Amino acid sequence: MTQHLRGILALVVVVLVWGTTFPAMKELTAYFSPVWIILTRFAIATALLSPFLWRARRTDLMLGGILGLLLFFCYLFQVEGLALTTSNRNAFICGLNVLVVPLLGLLGGRLPERRIVIALLLAIAGLVALCWDGGGGWGRGDTLALLAALTFGAYIKVMEVYTRRAVRLMAVTAAQIGTVALCAALWLFAREVPRGSIDVASDAANYWAYIGHGLLHYSPNFAYLGVLCTAAIISMQAWGQARTSANEAAVIYAFEPGGAAFFAYFWLGEAMGGRGWLGAALLISGMIVSQWNAESRPTAALAPE
């Protein structure tokens, strides 16, 4: 087996693992607020990746901090939307971030290429079919997922520039993950409203007991998200992308929502009807067409889920 084929297989594993994060986080939204989920997941990953911060250059820390701030809002929109819609629907809409990157060229006065126009039409048709499935229509959770896609697209574009300036890429990665955890902690203590009937203003002890019980009960979910899906999978992603082209990786990543729908069915019992699967197929087709004969990007510029 060639190194190139091994790299492709590694990225397929990455996409499958990413697909499981949607039902895993969806299950957590029944108990925790989105910011608690983000904080716990990224705090675990930060602890595991902290050795890469040892003697890190100031430039890498600054780049990681800016990227981490942007990534925090990516996940904030994604998990907030996930709490209000199904995990497979959230995954397909968030997957549109691969279309956002070329569309950002419009801000610079560049007309979109034919493949981008075709991809956009396929994506719009896919969204219509997906929302038509079950008669649910477009909701606030879908809007938040679309905002997540737009923010992820901007994050990819900024990351493409910043990774070229990095001295040590893993130091930048560790710094941005740590920044996400820090932003989540600050957001939590500044704005968090306790869930359920617990009033933190009148009974803080009950609130922290509630959170402590949840962290203990859902510790397997958090360990899975923090250790495997965030810290460990980054290493496999970097290894796989180093042995494939950026466009090959982007096409493979387009199938992440399909993996999310597959695992959502077995994990949460979520299912889509014929129109939903038609919309999913159109969305994935649009994502792939958007990368067809596209200008190659640095592999490090591709974002995790």
Side-chain angles (χ1 to χ4, degrees):
M1 184 182 296
T2 64
Q3 287 293 313
H4 178 251
L5 182 56
R6 289 177 180 175
I8 289 176
L9 291 177
L11 293 184
V12 170
V13 173
V14 167
V15 167
L16 289 175
V17 173
W18 282 349
T20 65
T21 63
F22 289 89
M25 289 193 295
K26 175 66 177 178
E27 190 174 42
L28 291 171
T29 59
Y31 192 96
F32 290 99
S33 70
V35 183
W36 265 111
I37 298 171
I38 297 169
L39 171 61
T40 309
R41 174 181 177 177
F42 280 87
I44 294 172
T46 300
L48 292 173
L49 296 176
S50 58
F52 292 104
L53 296 175
W54 181 252
R55 295 180 180 177
R57 302 289 182 87
R58 180 180 296 181
T59 301
D60 291 340
L61 294 177
M62 290 180 60
L63 295 177
I66 296 171
L67 287 169
L69 180 61
L70 188 55
L71 188 60
F72 167 70
F73 284 100
C74 292
Y75 277 98
L76 183 64
F77 289 135
Q78 183 190 56
V79 185
E80 286 275 7
L82 189 60
L84 299 173
T85 187
T86 60
S87 61
N88 49 40
R89 189 156 161 163
N90 181 275
F92 281 110
I93 297 174
C94 287
L96 291 174
N97 67 75
V98 298
L99 276 174
V100 174
V101 178
L103 286 175
L104 287 175
L106 292 174
L107 298 178
R110 293 173 53 189
L111 293 176
E113 301 174 41
R114 184 185 300 175
R115 63 182 173 84
I116 298 302
V117 175
I118 296 173
L120 191 59
L121 292 175
L122 286 170
I124 293 173
L127 285 176
V128 171
L130 194 65
C131 293
W132 191 17
D133 184 50
W138 186 271
R140 182 168 178 266
D142 302 319
T143 301
L144 289 169
L146 188 58
L147 284 174
L150 294 172
T151 314
F152 268 118
Y155 166 80
I156 294 171
K157 196 66 178 176
V158 173
M159 192 176 184
E160 180 178 351
V161 177
Y162 280 10
T163 49
R164 295 172 182 171
R165 305 178 188 173
V167 179
R168 294 179 179 175
L169 193 56
M170 283 306 296
V172 175
T173 300
Q176 67 171 311
I177 288 178
T179 301
V180 173
L182 178 61
C183 289
L186 294 174
W187 184 285
L188 182 70
F189 286 105
R191 300 177 56 91
E192 177 68 12
V193 177
R195 299 183 69 85
S197 59
I198 301 172
D199 183 0
V200 67
S202 62
D203 199 348
N206 281 348
Y207 173 64
W208 289 109
Y210 172 83
I211 294 298
H213 176 268
L215 292 174
L216 182 63
H217 181 75
Y218 290 101
S219 57
N221 291 59
F222 282 120
Y224 178 73
L225 287 169
V227 177
L228 180 62
C229 298
T230 306
I233 212 66
I234 285 175
S235 301
M236 181 174 286
Q237 179 197 12
W239 187 90
Q241 286 186 188
R243 288 157 179 79
T244 58
S245 72
N247 293 338
E248 285 175 330
V251 170
I252 294 172
Y253 293 163
F255 288 93
E256 177 196 349
F262 175 81
F263 288 110
Y265 175 77
F266 289 100
W267 195 319
L268 302 175
E270 292 182 359
M272 295 190 299
R275 295 167 185 163
W277 283 112
L278 173 61
L282 289 170
L283 284 169
I284 291 176
S285 299
M287 296 173 202
I288 294 175
V289 169
S290 71
Q291 302 299 320
W292 198 263
N293 293 327
E295 179 183 352
S296 185
R297 304 194 300 274
T299 54
L302 294 171
E305 27 93 36

